[in-house]
Amino acid sequence: MTIRVWDYQQEYENERTDLLDAVDSVFRSGQLVFGASMRGFEAEFAAYHGSGHCVSVDNGTNAVKLGLQALGVGPGDEVITVSNTAAPTVLAVDAVGATPVFVDVDPDTYLMDTGQVGAAITDRTRALLPVHLYGQCVDLAPLERLAATHGLKLLEDCAQAHGARRNGRVAGSTGDAAAFSFYPTKVLGAYGDGGAVLTSDDEAAARLRRLRYYGMEERYYVVETPGHNSRLDEVQAEILRRKLRRLGTYVAARRAVAERYAEGLGDTDLVLPATLDGNEHVYYVYVVRHPRRDAILEALKADDIVLNISYPWPVHTMTGFAHLGYAEGSLPVTERLAKEIFSLPMYPSLAPEVQDRVIAAVREALLKV
């Protein structure tokens, strides 16, 4: 049996009756878009985060993009973020016509090094875009202070941090807005694409609702401002609504998997995930680190364990962003991590016996390399 970094089949078997009922309830409702499931999910997701508004959209990339637009970010502006992230974070900045400005990450947590942000602010900076990476939160306190001092917007990228908390506050409840992805692998994942933006700013929420629906106020043909077609469909909304009720169970299962890895690999020279003081980690992915990463992955592949790297190419090194002018060595921690990190299997239904096989194979690979 091939072991992969993520698999949903067992979770589907466990939840099949409820998931099929969710789909059936939508098909029988007579409304496939902008219906009761979408509105119900939005209300419940907003309530979970203590947010005034949830505006659901079609995917996480558009959640960041529309979030930026709703906060007034556009052509000529700069947005400070990180290069150690999934490319969609940065693609969304580019999509609104703004310029991404990168700071490096902390070598222990791999999160945004907030101490570098102040020096990166210019008179063109419009927003700060921290990424809550791998399942834990960036320390937003210094970013809040910088945003207040310089009149900047703060948009949290929460695609990898559903249910994560910092000092008791859930990810997505601090900034001017927060963007979420519900891609199937996420802690709260749909069975297809989906996304959402949270905000307690009434005007930003109204702009978001127009932006996701052609620029209309949910009345077809009346365009108030150019927008997009970025609706979350009813089937995914109802599935997410059902799964939101199980989010705590998913998080607890992920933490149990992480604890088992710590017990099984803690005495090796593999660098295991570090949790920032004050954080409650939800382990979207279980990222480890080793200087002989590539040899380890090859050894594991020979044992039918196929893993991945999050992320092997920092965004600033990609050909598509060469125009930004970041030379090799400009973000040394990010660049070093890209050569050393990889992810072990992590999902709530990961069976203990499968995880034990992974642990044993990793230990053996470490002896070989």
Side-chain angles (χ1 to χ4, degrees):
M1 180 189 73
T2 300
I3 298 175
R4 303 187 185 278
V5 77
W6 177 77
D7 185 276
Y8 71 94
Q9 293 291 345
Q10 187 58 54
E11 178 182 290
Y12 176 67
E13 289 301 320
N14 295 343
E15 302 178 2
R16 183 174 183 272
T17 300
D18 188 42
L19 292 170
L20 293 182
D21 180 70
V23 175
D24 186 64
S25 70
V26 171
F27 288 171
R28 291 178 181 276
S29 73
Q31 191 161 8
L32 301 179
V33 294
F34 276 161
S37 292
M38 184 199 78
R39 299 185 195 287
F41 173 69
E42 289 183 338
E44 292 158 15
F45 197 66
Y48 176 87
H49 293 87
S51 180
H53 306 274
C54 169
V55 180
S56 60
V57 296
D58 54 344
N59 58 65
T61 308
N62 279 337
V64 179
K65 176 187 175 185
L66 301 187
L68 289 169
Q69 286 182 291
L71 295 177
V73 178
D77 294 331
E78 293 179 348
V79 177
I80 298 175
T81 189
V82 292
S83 180
N84 183 37
T85 183
T89 301
V90 184
L91 289 168
V93 176
D94 182 76
V96 303
T99 299
V101 175
F102 300 117
V103 296
D104 216 340
V105 296
D106 180 85
D108 296 320
T109 64
Y110 317 148
L111 300 169
M112 173 184 274
D113 184 344
T114 58
Q116 297 187 19
V117 174
I121 295 173
T122 71
D123 57 4
R124 294 176 55 197
T125 305
R126 178 68 172 170
L128 307 179
L129 179 54
V131 179
H132 299 315
L133 197 69
Y134 301 151
Q136 67 171 323
C137 299
V138 176
D139 180 6
L140 296 181
L143 301 184
E144 288 183 281
R145 291 191 291 269
L146 287 169
T149 299
H150 296 276
L152 308 176
K153 297 297 184 180
L154 179 59
L155 174 64
E156 300 175 61
D157 183 338
C158 301
Q160 302 186 14
H162 307 81
R165 294 178 182 270
R166 174 156 185 79
N167 297 327
R169 296 192 65 172
V170 66
S173 64
T174 299
D176 295 289
F180 290 81
S181 167
F182 303 122
Y183 185 73
T185 62
K186 305 301 184 185
V187 179
L188 178 62
Y191 276 67
D193 270 315
V197 185
L198 295 178
T199 184
S200 291
D201 183 322
D202 294 344
E203 292 185 7
R207 286 194 292 272
L208 282 163
R209 293 190 179 100
R210 290 193 295 270
L211 286 166
R212 71 154 175 207
Y213 189 56
Y214 308 111
M216 305 175 187
E217 289 282 4
E218 299 187 14
R219 289 186 302 152
Y220 201 57
Y221 297 128
V222 184
V223 175
E224 298 192 9
T225 184
H228 313 269
N229 177 9
S230 299
R231 298 166 296 199
L232 178 68
D233 73 77
E234 282 290 283
V235 170
Q236 299 303 337
E238 184 60 30
I239 289 172
L240 287 166
R241 193 178 184 186
R242 307 283 181 104
K243 293 187 73 176
L244 178 59
R245 299 163 191 165
R246 297 190 281 271
L247 179 56
T249 301
Y250 299 149
V251 170
R254 287 175 177 271
R255 287 176 176 153
V257 171
E259 184 176 351
R260 194 178 187 91
Y261 277 135
E263 292 173 354
L265 297 170
D267 63 340
T268 70
D269 63 345
L270 198 66
V271 179
L272 304 185
T275 301
L276 184 65
D277 287 346
N279 275 357
E280 296 174 42
H281 210 307
V282 296
Y283 297 100
Y284 164 57
V285 285
Y286 193 87
V287 174
V288 297
R289 181 177 175 188
H290 198 281
R292 296 185 295 282
R293 185 266 315 275
D294 293 346
I296 294 170
L297 290 180
E298 284 301 313
L300 292 173
K301 189 175 181 180
D303 203 18
D304 218 12
I305 298 173
V306 182
L307 306 182
N308 72 349
I309 304 167
S310 301
Y311 300 93
W313 301 284
V315 177
H316 73 282
T317 68
M318 295 179 182
T319 304
F321 292 101
H323 64 282
L324 297 176
Y326 285 86
E328 183 177 351
S330 57
L331 300 172
V333 177
T334 295
E335 293 169 30
R336 185 168 69 251
L337 290 177
K339 296 179 175 66
E340 297 182 354
I341 57 176
F342 63 103
S343 300
L344 300 183
M346 171 57 76
Y347 47 94
S349 59
L350 180 62
E353 61 271 19
V354 175
Q355 189 178 6
D356 286 344
R357 180 181 155 194
V358 173
I359 291 170
V362 170
R363 294 184 70 93
E364 184 176 350
L366 290 170
L367 294 174
K368 291 178 180 178
V369 301

